[in-house]
Amino acid sequence: MYDAARRQDAPIAIMTKKTPTSAATGAAANALWGGRFAAGPAAVMQEINASIDFDRRLYRQDLAGSRAHCRMLVAQKIISAEDGAAILRGLDEIEHQIDSGTFVFAAALEDIHLNIEARLKERIGDAAGRLHTARSRNDQVATDFRLWVRDAIDGLTTSIIALQRALLAKAEAHVDTVLPGYTHLQAAQPVTFGHHLLAYAEMLDRDRSRFADCRKRLNESPLGAAALAGTSFPIDRHQTAAALGFERPMANSMDAVSARDFAAEFLSVCAISGVHLSRLAEEITIWMSPAFGFIALSDAFSTGSSIMPQKRNPDAAELIRAKAGRMIGDLATLLIALKGLALTYAKDMQEDKEPVFDAADTLHLGLTAMAGMIGDMTVNATAMRAAAERGFMTATDLADWLVRRLGLPFRRAHEVAGRLVRVAETKGCDLAALSLADMQAVESGITREVYDVITIERAVASRTSYGGTAPARVREAIAAFKERLP
């Protein structure tokens, strides 16, 4: 499973062409990718061509794919059981070396696949060369990449759920805490803080659903498509697909090696989820400002100023807000790289991994930091309540009452409420402080009963429609949400 704590995997050394080693020589590299080439690449060609500095992250997936392929080759009697056993032992040794940090990767061997293959040959000899029977680096990397993205989705889903649980816990503690709800960043109607936080829990639930959809679509195996046309060997692609947890083999060999829409879809979900985090980060930044004073963050999630000792800055929130742009950029990077590619594989597609790795790391960090901030957050309910008393936020409740009790058309009721707001502004008071005479001067039918609906608490409690902000509804929503979480 994707684990952000292992973003750099094991401590791995990258060996340049100047490092003396038998595995890194130009001759060794040429032996792996073609007898047609007599000389090694130019230094700059090696630098631009190599991907080992980032695709080493695929080592677990590459080893898993090789094991599945090896077992299938043995089962189909394409290679001997003895060679198969030697290959599997060698792959286990290599995994141990990478995990322990003793495996030295060679830049001259370009990528994760050739590095592992070269080391396997060092360990077991010529039998290593049989592993690549009936496969190509094209289907190999496509398989590794799908496995990695699938693991990343599983890890990010866990991170989303952790943030959702933090939001639910804070919402449950503030089911009755009232604050202004805004449109155009202008006070609009009173809502509860619990209801406000649940809006983000719902956004994240759609992100979780999008990741699940993406996972379902990508869960087909390219392995066995070989370079692009399949293979003449009697392989069993269903066996390798099942061994790797895929639902089925991909149906078209050309599509199998060239498709990267799964990566684009993954990046799209990361970008959308990043935008959701950014919106919440913006609210945290606003709420924490002295002008609002709705919340406070402890030293654990805020920083000070190098010159102004009174400052407490919500840097974690601000960084999350900025990182949304990074994920959007990752999506654009991949789409631009893919848009002009004819079938099937082109080296351009080597550029598919870094934006995916970056987005996965960035989103995981944002989700984890946001969950920490939500848990750390101290809520100033008094400041929230005081803000809710400003801005005549029960004007809509007044208009609704005029419709229900006096039978006014809503547009007429809206006009009456607006005129009463103007009266209250002139007197420097809120609507509930207007006298009955003041109200009747605008609309003679108004009775004392109107005061039962234009207080903040009554206004909030009256929003009992499904999905509304009434505390009773919020409690129901929290309970229902807990049932939806795994």
Side-chain angles (χ1 to χ4, degrees), residues 56-97:
R56 61 189 172 91
R57 293 182 66 165
L58 299 173
Y59 81 91
R60 290 192 187 280
Q61 291 76 22
D62 196 70
L63 290 165
S66 290
R67 290 187 182 104
H69 186 66
C70 177
R71 292 187 176 104
M72 182 275 296
L73 292 176
V74 171
Q76 295 300 106
K77 303 187 186 308
I78 298 171
I79 67 173
S80 70
E82 292 77 14
D83 284 344
I87 289 169
L88 292 173
R89 283 196 305 273
L91 293 174
D92 287 345
E93 290 178 15
I94 289 169
E95 183 166 32
H96 175 73
Q97 290 175 2

Side-chain angles (χ1 to χ4, degrees), residues 164 199 201-211 269 276:
Q164 287 178 305
E202 292 287 348
M203 293 180 205
L204 289 164
D205 220 43
R206 292 192 295 275
D207 295 337
R208 191 159 60 96
S209 176
R210 290 184 188 98
F211 274 131
V269 181
H276 289 157

Side-chain angles (χ1 to χ4, degrees), residues 201-237:
E202 292 287 348
M203 293 180 205
L204 289 164
D205 220 43
R206 292 192 295 275
D207 295 337
R208 191 159 60 96
S209 176
R210 290 184 188 98
F211 274 131
D213 289 343
C214 178
R215 192 189 195 283
K216 181 178 179 180
R217 270 184 288 278
L218 72 80
N219 204 30
E220 296 182 343
S221 175
L223 194 57
L228 75 159
T231 177
S232 59
F233 289 94
I235 63 172
D236 185 348
R237 293 188 63 209

Side-chain angles (χ1 to χ4, degrees), residues 163-175 179 191-206 280 283 287 374 467-482 484-485:
L163 175 53
Q164 287 178 305
R165 292 193 186 282
L167 288 166
L168 288 174
K170 192 66 70 172
E172 198 163 23
H174 292 281
V175 168
L179 79 163
V191 296
T192 65
F193 192 49
H195 188 60
H196 196 126
L197 294 177
L198 284 183
Y200 287 102
E202 292 287 348
M203 293 180 205
L204 289 164
D205 220 43
R206 292 192 295 275
L280 179 51
E283 300 226 70
W287 293 337
I374 296 299
T469 193
R473 281 297 195 186
V474 175
R475 290 186 181 90
E476 291 173 0
I478 291 170
F481 210 109
K482 287 180 178 179
R484 281 153 51 188
L485 290 179

Side-chain angles (χ1 to χ4, degrees), residues 35-372:
R36 183 173 184 270
F37 292 81
V44 69
M45 176 59 188
Q46 180 175 292
E47 184 176 353
I48 195 172
N49 196 48
S51 59
I52 189 59
D53 59 336
F54 56 85
D55 71 14
R56 61 189 172 91
R57 293 182 66 165
L58 299 173
Y59 81 91
R60 290 192 187 280
Q61 291 76 22
D62 196 70
L63 290 165
S66 290
R67 290 187 182 104
H69 186 66
C70 177
R71 292 187 176 104
M72 182 275 296
L73 292 176
V74 171
Q76 295 300 106
K77 303 187 186 308
I78 298 171
I79 67 173
S80 70
E82 292 77 14
D83 284 344
I87 289 169
L88 292 173
R89 283 196 305 273
L91 293 174
D92 287 345
E93 290 178 15
I94 289 169
E95 183 166 32
H96 175 73
Q97 290 175 2
I98 297 175
D99 285 342
S100 65
T102 60
F103 192 108
V104 179
F105 284 89
L109 294 174
E110 297 184 21
D111 58 29
I112 182 66
H113 324 296
L114 295 188
N115 270 268
I116 288 176
E117 186 174 339
R119 184 57 55 86
L120 186 63
K121 184 175 182 180
E122 289 181 355
R123 302 299 298 176
I124 69 171
D126 288 342
R130 301 190 186 281
L131 176 59
H132 209 55
T133 306
R135 77 174 182 183
S136 161
R137 277 196 295 175
N138 291 356
D139 63 332
Q140 189 177 358
V141 68
T143 302
D144 293 357
F145 200 21
R146 283 177 184 264
L147 289 172
W148 194 94
V149 172
R150 191 177 70 184
D151 290 344
I153 287 172
D154 293 343
L156 289 169
T157 297
T158 299
S159 299
I160 288 173
I161 291 170
L163 175 53
Q164 287 178 305
R165 292 193 186 282
L167 288 166
L168 288 174
K170 192 66 70 172
E172 198 163 23
H174 292 281
V175 168
D176 298 300
T177 301
V178 176
L179 79 163
Y182 297 91
T183 63
H184 308 277
L185 207 56
Q186 303 296 310
Q189 291 180 294
V191 296
T192 65
F193 192 49
H195 188 60
H196 196 126
L197 294 177
L198 284 183
Y200 287 102
E202 292 287 348
M203 293 180 205
L204 289 164
D205 220 43
R206 292 192 295 275
D207 295 337
R208 191 159 60 96
S209 176
R210 290 184 188 98
F211 274 131
D213 289 343
C214 178
R215 192 189 195 283
K216 181 178 179 180
R217 270 184 288 278
L218 72 80
N219 204 30
E220 296 182 343
S221 175
L223 194 57
L228 75 159
T231 177
S232 59
F233 289 94
I235 63 172
D236 185 348
R237 293 188 63 209
H238 289 85
Q239 178 184 331
T240 52
L244 294 169
F246 288 115
E247 288 294 322
R248 62 188 69 82
M250 294 184 72
N252 183 285
S253 63
M254 297 180 75
D255 180 48
V257 300
S258 63
R260 294 297 185 272
D261 54 341
F262 71 92
E265 185 174 6
F266 173 78
L267 287 173
S268 176
V269 181
C270 287
I272 292 169
S273 190
V275 169
H276 289 157
L277 291 181
S278 179
R279 296 183 73 180
L280 179 51
E282 170 69 0
E283 300 226 70
I284 289 172
T285 303
I286 291 171
W287 293 337
M288 193 173 165
S289 67
F292 282 72
F294 289 177
I295 65 165
L297 295 174
S298 75
D299 295 352
F301 287 95
S302 58
T303 64
S305 166
S306 63
I307 191 172
M308 295 168 283
Q310 83 281 7
K311 295 285 294 299
R312 183 182 289 276
N313 301 321
D315 281 6
E318 292 170 3
L319 287 166
I320 288 171
R321 189 174 60 192
K323 287 178 186 296
R326 183 166 166 169
M327 287 180 275
I328 293 167
D330 288 331
L331 173 60
T333 296
L334 180 60
L335 291 175
I336 292 167
L338 293 176
K339 72 175 183 61
L341 298 186
L343 294 181
T344 54
Y345 183 83
K347 197 69 170 182
D348 310 54
M349 295 170 76
Q350 184 168 290
E351 295 296 310
D352 59 359
K353 295 167 199 65
E354 288 183 284
V356 168
F357 294 160
D358 180 70
D361 294 344
T362 302
L363 182 57
H364 174 83
L365 181 61
L367 290 166
T368 303
M370 185 60 77

